């Protein structure tokens, strides 16, 4: 998407080559490459839906290839270089960012959730029971705790009366307990002393330092963003004082304001100064995109408003749409081809037959189904099949004309 820098005329938004984006050549799938990508993204959303593969595996695969996931457990569970916490959803975050997340932990529940604080106080016996049991040393699943609450959790939804789950969630958000492991897909809970590396920095930074660091992390991850886009990434809803912080970062030469073509003249975007070399490489034509299939929860597209504004690609996750109202399919992977989001794929891994079923493949109305595009996309589909362990790929009827014959 063309962009003009206020300080460097004629620049382009660095939407491709930075490590957070699955454009440019894949990095080798080694542990250090994985650290590079994770440091750029700052979080990986965790999602229980596994129609094809877990979302965090797909995000890493699209950037690093099928072997990337093999290095993740070592960073997650053995080195504890990562831990589970809340970004805008349950996510893997970096232990080096613990001081940032500590600010959120120390202020939970926020002022607008005082009812949660009141409920915890009313059920202090349950809180103490959880901490006492975990203090015995062994990681424990949710069903290992007794419900000794005196006040049920008030909800009209699925959490109604699930008091132990609510208390564990609140203690987790406060940083009093952490996810120590997983067994059969269920969280195992433990105390921070058992879940963090001994040398981890546990001291909270100031709220100003948190927002400043999060703003820089976000701009590195997104490549280019407006203030409203920054607010939606990483520590969503916690960017107090963002306008002043952006002004300070600009004065310090840490960020550069730019304009993106097609928007109102008053709309200011920002890039991080560390992206300027990549921006210049794009201007000089030294970057070439590739093709990747993206998780529906991929960091690149998770802000649907930004996705449509930058890429001209309207995407919604239809797994939450009633079947009769779905336009494309239950589970959709956007298709990145070069510097465009060109369509979406509706895959399903039939585990009983070890077959990756492509129920539909839909290109945008202005995208021509060229042989080059077909070869690039089918190569990625074959790569996805290898990732999940499928021995065959099966196509349905909803694919572009000519693709079946090929």
């Amino acid at each position: 998407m063309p962009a003009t820098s206020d300080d460097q005329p004629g620049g382009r938004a660095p939407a491709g080559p930075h490590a957070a984006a699955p454009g440019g050549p894949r990095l080798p799938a080694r542990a250090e490459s994985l650290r590079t990508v994770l440091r750029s993204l700052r979080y990986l959303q965790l999602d229980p839906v596994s129609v094809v593969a877990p979302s965090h595996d797909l995000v890493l695969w699209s950037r690093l290839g099928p072997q990337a996931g093999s290095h993740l457990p070592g960073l997650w569970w053995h080195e504890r270089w990562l831990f589970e916490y809340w970004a805008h959803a349950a996510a893997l975050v970096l232990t080096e960012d613990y001081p940032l997340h500590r600010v959120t932990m120390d202020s939970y529940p926020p002022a607008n959730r005082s009812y949660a604080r009141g409920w915890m106080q009313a059920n202090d016996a349950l809180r103490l029971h959880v901490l006492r049991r975990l203090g015995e040393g062994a990681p424990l699943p949710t069903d290992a705790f007794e419900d000794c609450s005196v006040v049920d959790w008030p909800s009209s939804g699925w959490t109604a009366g699930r008091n132990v789950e609510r208390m564990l969630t609140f203690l987790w958000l406060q940083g009093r307990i952490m996810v120590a492991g997983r067994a059969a897909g269920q969280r195992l809970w433990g105390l921070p002393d058992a879940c963090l590396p001994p040398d981890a920095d546990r001291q909270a930074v100031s709220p100003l330092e948190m927002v400043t660091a999060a703003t820089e992390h976000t701009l590195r991850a997104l490549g280019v963003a407006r203030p409203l886009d920054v607010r939606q990434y990483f520590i969503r809803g916690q960017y107090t004082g963002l306008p002043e912080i952006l002004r300070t970062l600009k004065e310090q030469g840490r960020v550069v304001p730019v304009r993106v073509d097609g928007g109102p003249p008053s709309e200011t975007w920002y890039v991080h100064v560390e992206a300027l070399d990549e921006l210049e490489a794009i201007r000089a034509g030294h970057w070439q995109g590739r093709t990747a299939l993206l998780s529906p929860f991929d960091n690149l597209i998770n802000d649907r408003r930004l996705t449509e504004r930058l890429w001209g690609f309207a995407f919604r996750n239809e797994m939450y749409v009633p079947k009769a109202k779905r336009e494309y399919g239950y589970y959709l992977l956007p298709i990145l081809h070069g510097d465009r989001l060109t369509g979406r794929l509706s895959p399903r891994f039939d585990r009983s037959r070890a077959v990756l079923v492509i129920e539909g493949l839909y290109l945008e109305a202005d995208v021509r189904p060229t042989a080059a595009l077909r070869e690039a996309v089918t190569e990625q589909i074959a790569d996805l099949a290898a990732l999940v362990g499928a021995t065959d790929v099966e196509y349905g009827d909803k694919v572009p004309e000519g693709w079946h014959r090929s």
Side-chain angles (χ1 to χ4, degrees):
M1 179 67 66
T4 302
S5 167
D6 289 354
D7 301 319
Q8 304 208 4
R12 286 177 59 87
H18 56 90
R26 275 179 170 166
L27 294 171
R30 298 190 297 265
E32 283 310 307
S33 297
L34 184 56
R35 291 181 206 269
T36 297
V37 168
L38 291 169
R39 278 198 169 107
S40 187
L41 295 173
R42 296 329 275 199
Y43 78 90
L44 280 181
Q45 182 171 335
L46 298 171
D47 190 86
V49 177
S50 189
V51 175
V52 179
S55 178
H56 58 277
D57 285 342
L58 291 175
V59 172
L60 297 178
W61 162 72
S62 68
R63 291 157 173 81
L64 297 169
Q67 302 304 314
S70 64
H71 299 291
L72 189 62
L75 298 183
W76 188 353
W77 300 122
H78 301 299
E79 289 188 37
R80 301 287 180 174
W81 194 81
L82 302 164
F83 69 99
E84 291 187 40
Y85 195 58
W86 191 265
H88 72 277
L92 285 178
V93 296
L94 280 61
T95 301
E96 64 191 53
D97 283 340
Y98 188 89
L100 308 184
H101 296 294
R102 185 75 249 176
V103 179
T104 305
M105 295 172 184
D106 290 345
S107 63
Y108 191 87
N112 62 355
R113 299 201 69 187
S114 58
Y115 62 90
R117 188 179 301 276
W119 182 84
M120 291 183 73
Q121 291 172 346
N123 290 305
D124 199 50
L126 175 57
R127 181 185 67 84
L128 293 173
H129 166 68
V130 168
L131 296 176
R132 183 169 57 251
R133 289 281 282 124
L134 292 179
E136 295 170 3
L140 296 173
T142 299
D143 60 11
F145 303 98
E146 298 176 21
D147 185 357
C148 47
S149 59
V150 296
V151 177
D152 280 344
W153 174 250
S155 172
S156 58
W158 68 274
T159 60
R162 300 175 80 159
N163 303 313
V164 171
E165 285 188 19
R166 289 289 84 194
M167 183 60 75
L168 289 169
T169 297
F170 293 153
L171 290 173
W172 172 60
L173 292 171
Q174 289 181 336
R176 301 292 302 279
I177 65 175
M178 298 183 72
V179 179
R182 285 180 179 264
Q186 291 190 338
R187 288 168 166 173
L188 300 177
W189 300 98
L191 297 179
D193 284 346
C195 298
L196 289 171
D199 60 348
D201 183 358
R202 304 192 196 184
Q203 185 65 43
V205 297
S206 71
L208 176 62
E209 290 172 312
M210 175 191 71
V211 177
T212 301
T215 299
E216 291 200 67
H217 288 330
T218 294
L219 289 173
R220 291 188 191 100
L222 295 178
V224 60
R226 299 163 295 184
L228 64 90
D229 307 318
V230 172
R231 294 182 189 277
Q232 297 301 307
Y233 196 87
F234 189 43
I235 57 166
R236 182 179 293 186
Q238 300 183 72
Y239 285 92
T240 303
L242 180 61
E244 294 79 9
I245 287 169
L246 283 169
R247 269 197 299 273
T248 299
L249 289 172
K250 178 187 173 185
E251 291 168 359
Q252 294 173 344
R254 300 293 296 163
V255 305
V256 178
V258 299
R259 295 187 302 277
V260 173
D261 285 355
S266 60
E267 184 178 68
T268 300
W269 299 67
Y270 293 90
V271 297
H272 198 276
V273 66
E274 293 172 11
L276 291 181
D277 287 345
E278 294 172 341
L279 187 149
E280 290 302 319
I282 292 172
R283 290 180 63 196
H286 296 157
W287 177 81
Q288 184 175 358
R290 60 179 178 84
T291 303
L293 306 178
L294 307 181
S295 161
F297 304 105
D298 193 287
N299 302 54
L300 188 70
I301 58 164
N302 225 342
D303 185 342
R304 309 307 192 208
R305 177 176 53 189
L306 177 61
T307 301
E308 187 162 3
R309 173 66 183 86
L310 268 184
W311 301 84
F313 187 77
F315 179 69
R316 68 173 176 172
N317 202 338
E318 294 190 4
M319 67 178 68
Y320 307 120
V321 176
K323 185 174 183 179
K325 296 184 178 181
R326 289 176 194 149
E327 186 177 1
Y328 300 108
Y330 175 76
Y331 192 75
L332 301 171
L333 306 185
I335 301 169
L336 174 65
H337 181 66
D339 61 356
R340 281 202 62 188
L341 289 168
T342 56
R344 63 212 81 203
L345 186 76
S346 177
R348 173 176 55 84
F349 181 33
D350 186 338
R351 290 172 172 83
S352 65
R353 298 189 296 139
V355 173
L356 180 64
V357 180
I358 307 303
E359 296 179 338
L361 198 161
Y362 311 90
L363 299 180
E364 294 291 89
D366 62 341
V367 173
R368 292 177 54 244
T370 63
L373 175 60
R374 181 180 67 241
E375 290 170 9
V377 172
T378 53
E379 180 180 333
Q380 287 305 302
I381 290 172
D383 204 40
L384 178 60
L387 173 73
V388 301
T391 57
D392 198 6
V393 178
E394 184 177 285
Y395 288 84
D397 296 329
K398 296 178 180 179
V399 299
E401 184 179 355
W403 286 40
H404 263 304
R405 290 194 303 274
S406 69

